[in-house]
Amino acid sequence: MTPPPPAGRWPDAARSTVALAFDVDGPTGDAMLSGAIWRKPGYFSLGAYGPYRALPRILDLLDDAGVPATFFTPAWVVETWPDACREVVDRGHEMAHHGYRHERYWDLSPAQQADVIARSQQVFEDILGAPAVGFRTPSGDWHPDTPRLLLDAGFTYSSSMRGDDRPYLHEVDGAPTSLVEIPGRWDLDDYASLAYTRNPDFPIGQDRIAGYQQTLDNWIAEFDGHHAEGLCMTTLFHPKVSGKPGRLLLLERLLEHMCDTGDVWFATCRDVAAWWAGQEAAPHA
């Protein structure tokens, strides 16, 4: 594993890297996989709010800040809101794989996973003009065969695991591969602080939406720590959670803080992975 680049050695001599990322889940997930969502219009609309209403706000915010982002999106959402998803690409951002209906990969056989990947890649090709090169597991974990399947399908990176706070290369059968991992942490998942639903209850037992200032302080502290050590930070934000009017102000203030800090390389996950792979391939002293 390559040591982290010294501070100031990221592209453009930046001290640290931010790969801002959003999971555009829409109404996919367990309730859709079980079929229960078709009996719960309110729950469906809670998820649909993300691609329909919140996503345009987030794109405008990113335009204002001049910051690119990656949007990990189930292919079912791409099929259902094609114009919104094409807008993401047209405005210079990356669309990446997040299952077809937000499947739990650890529950799927390799053949089933391959079917989900192939079906989703065809949707990306047909609607967005190109297959995805990036993958984020929808369930926070994956099957031991998933990295091999991703390589076989032409993916160049994942943002699924937790093993570092800088990119690294996955191994398959004990041998290093070209598949780059861009780790994300629950600390930078807006669900941990802000998500709240009823029937099904989330969080279980309810009684939790964190204070907005505390949430912002936590996110800023995570960025400040990554920046101080010259690391790579990504996020697990969800438009349906943090793309609401009051929460959008939290994202705006976080972006302002990161931009005002300076000396930061803002990039899509795709570009971070490509750069890191180039560093791995280069001769090292």
Side-chain angles (χ1 to χ4, degrees):
M1 182 183 295
T2 303
R9 293 291 299 279
W10 291 95
D12 303 326
R15 180 179 183 86
S16 68
T17 291
V18 170
L20 199 65
F22 297 85
D23 295 359
V24 192
D25 296 338
T28 63
D30 289 348
M32 178 173 283
L33 294 169
S34 72
I37 199 163
W38 307 116
R39 301 187 297 274
K40 297 179 178 180
Y43 197 49
F44 184 95
S45 68
L46 181 70
Y49 181 90
Y52 170 68
R53 186 72 174 128
L55 181 57
R57 286 194 187 110
I58 289 171
L59 291 177
D60 287 345
L61 178 65
L62 294 172
D63 277 355
D64 290 344
V67 171
T70 298
F71 293 82
F72 294 96
T73 308
W76 187 92
V77 173
V78 178
E79 286 181 321
T80 307
W81 287 276
D83 291 341
C85 293
R86 279 191 287 260
E87 182 74 7
V88 171
V89 175
D90 290 345
R91 290 167 79 164
H93 305 291
E94 177 191 7
M95 292 288 284
H97 179 84
H98 201 46
Y100 180 73
R101 294 187 301 170
H102 208 271
E103 293 83 0
R104 292 186 295 269
Y105 274 68
W106 72 69
D107 285 341
L108 303 180
S109 69
Q112 290 171 322
Q113 292 179 67
D115 286 344
V116 171
I117 290 170
R119 182 179 186 184
S120 300
Q121 290 289 63
Q122 190 61 57
V123 170
F124 272 60
E125 178 79 45
D126 292 345
I127 294 177
L128 302 178
V133 299
F135 170 91
R136 175 171 282 172
T137 179
S139 53
D141 207 345
W142 63 21
H143 188 281
D145 284 322
T146 305
R148 174 181 57 79
L149 293 169
L150 295 177
L151 285 163
D152 290 346
F155 286 87
T156 62
Y157 79 87
S158 158
S159 182
S160 307
M161 297 292 109
R162 319 279 177 244
D164 210 318
D165 31 38
R166 57 195 175 176
Y168 59 90
L169 296 182
H170 280 284
E171 294 185 355
V172 172
D173 297 328
T177 72
S178 60
L179 185 67
V180 177
E181 179 65 34
I182 303 174
R185 302 291 184 90
W186 302 125
D187 317 61
L188 289 158
D189 185 338
D190 50 9
Y191 252 80
S193 299
L194 301 175
Y196 187 98
T197 66
R198 297 296 308 273
N199 191 29
D201 289 351
F202 182 89
I204 295 173
Q206 303 288 277
D207 199 24
R208 187 287 275 116
I209 288 183
Y212 285 12
Q213 187 59 53
Q214 178 185 6
T215 299
L216 178 61
D217 289 346
N218 291 345
W219 292 347
I220 286 176
E222 286 301 317
F223 164 75
D224 287 347
H226 280 75
H227 187 70
E229 292 193 26
L231 302 173
C232 174
M233 189 183 92
T234 191
T235 58
L236 295 87
F237 293 156
H238 300 76
K240 64 185 177 185
V241 175
S242 54
K244 297 174 182 177
R247 289 133 182 226
L248 197 74
L249 296 177
L250 301 185
L251 294 182
E252 181 179 12
R253 290 166 187 164
L254 175 63
L255 283 172
E256 287 175 351
H257 176 80
M258 293 190 296
C259 291
D260 289 348
T261 298
D263 208 14
V264 179
W265 181 43
F266 292 96
T268 63
C269 291
R270 174 181 57 210
D271 290 342
V272 170
W275 184 82
W276 191 268
Q279 298 299 299
E280 292 283 357
H284 300 295

